């Protein structure tokens, strides 16, 4: 049973540093920045090696949710450490953790919301699952596969293309909406509304 007073922990996966800010791998950070803006919150450094915003999402009343938005400041493949430290600090049950991340196996700009599952070779998820188990929610932001013979590592660490950038704001906005829907209305509702 989940503790109703516990906050939701929304984790945007990405790499810290200005040189990575526009990378496909950093779409999790982009979505969290928008959620923070919607909450009128500013990210602050947390001792768990993360930037966090504490606040609430949703209208006043029963759908209002206490949340902690978190951007781990370790690199992607070490995300599990900061996320586990935040989980312990805020006493968040695993089923109230949401990872927002880029997903190679889904075309850009397609979303999928799910609970649990494998990491699909995603180093951020691999690190989180190794630290905590796999039964957390994911908002998977499709970035598609690299073209031609381009290596996956090169592709995810490149900025979105000029064509993709035309839809990027819309996609980040929709991803943030999916997170809010998941928290307020539950997994099934979020899946039927956003899994395209």
């Amino acid at each position: 049973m989940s503790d109703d007073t516990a906050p939701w922990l929304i984790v945007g996966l990405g790499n810290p540093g200005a040189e990575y800010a526009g990378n496909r791998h950093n779409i999790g950070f982009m979505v969290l920045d928008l959620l923070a803006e919607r909450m009128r919150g500013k990210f602050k450094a947390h001792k768990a090696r993360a930037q966090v915003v504490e606040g609430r999402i949703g209208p006043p009343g029963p759908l209002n949710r206490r949340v902690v938005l978190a951007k781990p400041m370790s690199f992607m493949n070490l995300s599990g450490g900061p996320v586990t430290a935040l989980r312990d600090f805020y006493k968040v049950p695993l089923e109230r953790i949401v990872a927002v991340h880029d997903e190679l196996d889904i075309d850009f700009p397609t979303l999928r919301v799910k609970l649990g599952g494998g990491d699909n070779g995603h180093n951020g998820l691999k690190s989180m699952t190794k630290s905590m188990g796999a039964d957390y929610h994911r908002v998977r932001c499709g970035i598609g596969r690299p073209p031609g013979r381009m290596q996956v590592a090169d592709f995810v660490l490149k900025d979105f293309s000029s064509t993709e950038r035309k839809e990027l704001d819309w996609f980040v906005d929709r991803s943030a909406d999916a997170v809010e829907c998941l928290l307020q209305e539950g997994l099934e509702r979020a899946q039927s509304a956003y899994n395209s």
Side-chain angles (χ1 to χ4, degrees), residues 43-189:
F43 281 97
K44 295 182 177 67
H46 190 280
K47 64 183 180 187
R49 283 185 311 142
Q51 295 274 331
V52 301
V53 173
E54 295 179 47
R56 303 191 81 86
I57 280 179
L63 292 182
N64 192 269
R65 302 284 180 258
R66 195 172 141 226
V67 296
V68 178
L69 305 179
K71 299 194 289 188
M73 290 289 116
S74 59
F75 281 92
M76 180 70 88
N77 55 354
L78 300 171
S79 301
V83 177
T84 304
L86 289 167
R87 176 200 67 184
D88 296 347
F89 181 84
Y90 289 104
K91 300 180 173 50
V92 180
L94 193 55
E95 70 274 11
R96 283 203 180 185
I97 296 176
V98 182
V100 184
H101 63 91
D102 57 307
E103 179 61 69
L104 287 161
D105 284 341
I106 304 172
D107 290 335
F108 179 87
T110 305
L111 271 178
R112 294 265 193 291
V113 183
K114 68 183 267 198
L115 173 62
D119 57 53
N120 244 1
H122 192 291
N123 289 331
L125 295 179
K126 200 176 286 180
S127 177
M128 281 179 62
T129 297
K130 191 173 167 202
S131 296
M132 308 183 304
D135 291 331
Y136 51 90
H137 289 88
R138 296 101 192 271
V139 174
R140 305 159 75 209
C141 305
I143 60 169
R145 284 262 160 207
R149 295 169 181 267
M150 188 190 285
Q151 294 297 307
V152 164
D154 295 334
F155 178 69
V156 298
L157 293 176
K158 279 208 179 350
D159 285 1
F160 286 94
S161 70
S162 53
T163 313
E164 289 169 335
R165 277 199 296 270
K166 291 179 184 141
E167 290 187 273
L168 186 57
D169 285 351
W170 171 85
F171 189 36
V172 167
D173 199 57
R174 188 168 162 79
S175 303
D177 290 347
V179 171
E180 292 185 350
C181 180
L182 172 64
L183 268 55
Q184 293 169 25
E185 300 183 56
L187 180 61
E188 281 180 27
R189 176 78 188 96

